[in-house]
């Protein structure tokens, strides 16, 4: 099918099959390798992207499900050469270690801060509960989101 | 995942036609894509019904709320009409994670007919009806007749779920939902209990219970529901029914828990219900 959608603020037209995973479309066909594949079955959150402003898992999304939609990936949250306040905060608090879960965590946190710019620590933990991180123990991650929330107010 | 053909129908009638031709309805895909990847499901092709306007309506009246089959859990939670069925919100809030709640649908929960389906427990409590559209027209079934067993439904060839009608419980209900498992998010329950309890002068006037993950389908333990009537809502009074609830369930042993453990958890959830509702009766007011 000829798939048209918005990707990180630009209109994209791509020839693909309707059942191609959004994750493969992004990584292999469009070269956006920031979105990671962890488990591939919706358990780990590493492939979290935003579709029409809402978090979705790219491993369980078919190409046809984003037709005409607005998709935002980790590559699209800041201007070229710049970092988003969430990215800066993850660096500042050492919320990144191996980094594999980080794009998914940042996209989930991005969705949280759009819904709720003043989350409590419990609300941050609750919202990020679908994103597994095996390095940090989450304390630095939660701190990063709270720090970014303050800076973005 | 093998290369898979997905078609997007223009309207419900076309969706029914494509389903009749052997297509399998796809809404959120949170369960179906996993089963396709594992080779458990092998449909000829998929019919993407997730954006059909007919399946995306939520409508509230004085007596009931009708929820389109393809409305996501997050949209159900956010819709003002579901504020009058707190037990539905309590259960849906525990599903998956924020991303999965923005993808998964109540229609999908029903079609999967998992005994562990968190969204099904409140539907059993509220005596919801499942509205189907098929080549022979529309029909409507109580949820307990729609679900026939693990992964088995009353859907006939060509039929798909159009919506779910949830009758509003009568005023004054206290709502409870809890699922037990190894972690909170992304959890498939070892056992879950949902309840609606009406009190009159400190004693239980009516109680409805529904349990998940402890039988081939979600179940309503009617004898225990009747035995609750007339008792005060205290841990001591409900403890006498713990064994009755444990024997009302028919759990299996699987990789998540043994049957014995599930029986014990089911019984203990009754005590948790008593202590939660006795201490925080206002958190679930209104049913």
């Amino acid at each position: 099918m000829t798939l048209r959608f918005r990707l990180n603020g630009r209109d994209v037209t791509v020839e693909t099959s309707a059942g191609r995973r959004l994750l493969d479309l992004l990584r292999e066909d469009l070269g956006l390798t920031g979105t990671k594949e962890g488990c591939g079955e919706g358990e780990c959150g590493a492939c979290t992207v935003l579709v029409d402003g809402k978090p979705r898992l790219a491993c369980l999304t078919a190409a046809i499900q984003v037709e005409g939609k607005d998709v935002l990936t980790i590559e699209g949250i800041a201007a070229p050469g710049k970092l988003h306040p969430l990215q800066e905060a993850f660096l500042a608090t050492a919320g990144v270690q191996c980094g594999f879960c980080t794009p998914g965590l940042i996209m989930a946190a991005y969705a949280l801060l759009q819904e709720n710019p003043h989350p409590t620590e419990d609300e941050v933990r609750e919202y990020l509960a679908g994103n597994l991180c095996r390095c940090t123990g989450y304390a630095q991650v939660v701190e990063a989101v709270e720090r970014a929330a303050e800076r973005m107010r | 995942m093998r290369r898979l053909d997905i078609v997007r129908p223009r309207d419900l009638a076309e969706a029914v036609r494509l389903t009749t031709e052997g297509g399998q309805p796809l809404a959120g895909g949170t369960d179906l894509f996993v089963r396709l990847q594992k080779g458990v499901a092998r449909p000829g092709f998929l019919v993407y019904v997730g954006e059909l306007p007919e399946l995306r309506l939520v409508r509230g009246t004085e007596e009931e709320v009708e929820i389109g089959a393809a409305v996501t859990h997050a949209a159900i939670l956010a819709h003002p009409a579901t504020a009058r069925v707190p037990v539905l919100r309590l259960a849906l809030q525990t599903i998956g994670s924020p991303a999965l709640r923005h993808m998964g649908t109540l229609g999908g929960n029903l079609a999967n007919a998992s005994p562990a389906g968190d969204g099904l427990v409140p539907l059993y409590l509220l005596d919801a009806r499942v509205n189907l559209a098929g080549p022979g027209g529309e029909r409507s079934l109580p949820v307990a007749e729609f679900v026939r067993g693990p992964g088995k439904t009353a859907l006939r060839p060509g039929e798909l779920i159009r919506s779910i009608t949830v009758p509003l419980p009568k005023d004054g209900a206290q709502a409870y939902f809890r699922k037990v498992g190894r972690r909170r998010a992304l959890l498939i329950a070892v056992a879950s209990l949902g309840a609606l309890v009406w009190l009159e002068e400190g004693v239980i006037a009516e109680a409805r219970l529904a349990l998940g993950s402890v039988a081939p389908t979600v179940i309503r333990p009617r004898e225990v529901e009747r035995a609750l009537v007339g008792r005060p809502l205290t841990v001591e009074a409900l403890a006498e029914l713990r064994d009755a609830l444990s024997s009302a369930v028919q759990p299996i042993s699987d990789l998540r828990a043994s049957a014995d453990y599930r029986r014990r958890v089911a019984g203990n959830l009754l005590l948790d219900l008593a202590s939660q509702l006795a201490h925080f009766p206002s958190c679930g007011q209104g049913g």
Side-chain angles (χ1 to χ4, degrees):
Chain A
M1 68 179 288
T2 304
L3 179 72
R4 291 185 181 82
F5 65 109
R6 246 181 122 64
L7 178 57
N8 296 333
R10 287 191 192 164
D11 290 322
V12 173
T13 303
V14 58
E15 205 54 46
T16 185
S17 71
R20 186 143 175 86
R21 296 190 308 172
L22 176 61
L23 182 61
D24 301 325
L25 188 72
L26 291 171
R27 291 182 56 86
E28 293 176 16
D29 305 348
L30 298 167
L32 297 182
T33 54
T35 305
K36 305 301 184 204
E37 174 161 20
C39 66
E41 51 186 60
E43 300 281 348
C44 78
C47 64
T48 305
V49 298
L50 266 59
V51 176
D52 286 350
K54 306 285 197 285
R56 265 195 91 99
L57 303 178
C59 76
L60 297 180
T61 299
I64 199 170
Q65 290 175 297
V66 298
E67 192 178 14
K69 307 249 187 240
D70 193 350
V71 177
L72 184 67
T73 70
I74 188 72
E75 290 89 348
I77 61 171
K82 299 257 168 41
L83 291 178
H84 185 273
L86 273 165
Q87 292 169 308
E88 284 177 345
F90 269 71
L91 286 176
T93 65
V96 179
Q97 285 184 32
C98 89
F100 198 80
C101 69
T102 312
L105 271 168
I106 288 180
M107 295 313 289
Y110 187 100
L112 166 65
L113 295 184
Q114 283 198 326
E115 271 177 42
N116 177 3
H118 306 277
T120 63
E121 184 188 333
D122 281 351
E123 286 168 340
V124 173
R125 288 183 176 275
E126 179 79 34
Y127 205 92
L128 300 183
N131 293 78
L132 296 184
C133 171
R134 299 285 87 145
C135 303
T136 61
Y138 302 103
Q140 303 91 322
V141 167
V142 174
E143 195 191 331
V145 178
E146 288 177 317
R147 184 189 283 232
E150 258 169 53
R151 273 210 42 208
M152 288 163 68
R153 288 206 262 274
Chain B
M1 190 167 22
R2 74 199 161 90
R3 219 176 152 85
L4 189 68
D5 201 20
I6 308 179
V7 291
R8 187 169 168 171
R10 279 184 308 274
D11 54 24
L12 183 58
E14 191 182 2
V16 168
R17 188 174 58 71
L18 290 163
T19 308
T20 309
E21 289 167 10
Q24 173 156 358
L26 160 71
T30 55
D31 224 83
L32 185 52
F33 284 140
V34 175
R35 285 190 287 129
L36 288 166
Q37 277 166 30
K38 293 184 172 165
V40 185
R42 295 188 165 276
F45 64 100
L46 300 182
V47 185
Y48 179 44
V49 299
E51 282 167 66
L52 284 180
E54 296 100 318
L55 304 190
R56 307 246 325 176
L57 289 173
V58 178
R59 218 163 38 91
T61 69
E62 288 291 301
E63 290 91 35
E64 58 195 33
V65 184
E66 187 183 355
I67 300 167
V71 182
T72 63
H73 301 305
I76 297 170
L77 285 165
H79 198 285
T82 62
R84 292 155 76 197
V85 268
V87 75
L88 178 66
R89 288 190 171 186
L90 287 175
L92 297 187
Q93 272 159 11
T94 71
I95 291 178
S97 63
L100 288 167
R101 288 196 289 276
H102 278 295
M103 301 164 71
T105 66
L106 205 47
N109 251 211
L110 278 163
N112 287 335
S114 163
D118 300 314
L120 302 187
V121 170
L123 300 186
Y124 277 72
L125 279 178
L126 295 158
D127 292 320
R129 294 190 308 279
V130 187
N131 307 309
L132 310 175
E138 306 223 337
R139 63 184 182 122
S140 184
L141 290 174
V143 63
E145 287 175 32
F146 175 81
V147 178
R148 290 283 166 83
K152 293 202 174 65
T153 69
L155 280 171
R156 295 172 185 154
E159 268 186 334
L160 48 88
I161 304 168
R162 184 175 61 76
S163 68
I164 299 101
T165 301
V166 179
L168 299 181
K170 60 179 190 287
D171 287 345
Q174 295 186 26
Y176 170 87
F177 180 83
R178 173 137 186 219
K179 68 172 169 178
V180 174
R182 285 169 184 265
R183 56 186 278 234
R184 293 240 317 267
L186 301 169
L187 170 72
I188 298 174
V190 158
S192 63
L193 174 67
L196 290 173
V197 178
W198 288 265
L199 289 178
E200 262 171 38
E201 291 167 11
V203 299
I204 296 171
E206 187 186 339
R208 299 185 196 170
L209 306 177
L211 292 132
S213 298
V214 291
T217 65
V218 173
I219 55 159
R220 290 272 300 270
R222 305 276 177 176
E223 282 180 21
V224 178
E225 289 182 351
R226 282 191 288 273
L228 281 166
V229 175
R231 287 171 193 266
L233 186 53
T234 62
V235 173
E236 294 72 27
L238 268 55
E240 295 168 14
L241 295 174
R242 172 165 56 177
D243 291 347
L245 190 59
S246 289
S247 13
V249 302
Q250 305 106 41
I252 56 163
S253 295
D254 65 13
L255 75 168
R256 288 191 294 279
S258 70
D260 279 349
Y261 179 70
R262 289 192 152 99
R263 280 186 197 285
R264 282 176 58 182
V265 171
N268 287 342
L269 279 168
L270 195 60
L271 308 193
D272 184 63
L273 175 155
S275 65
Q276 289 292 316
L277 292 187
H279 289 103
F280 311 101
S282 59
C283 64
Q285 284 286 354

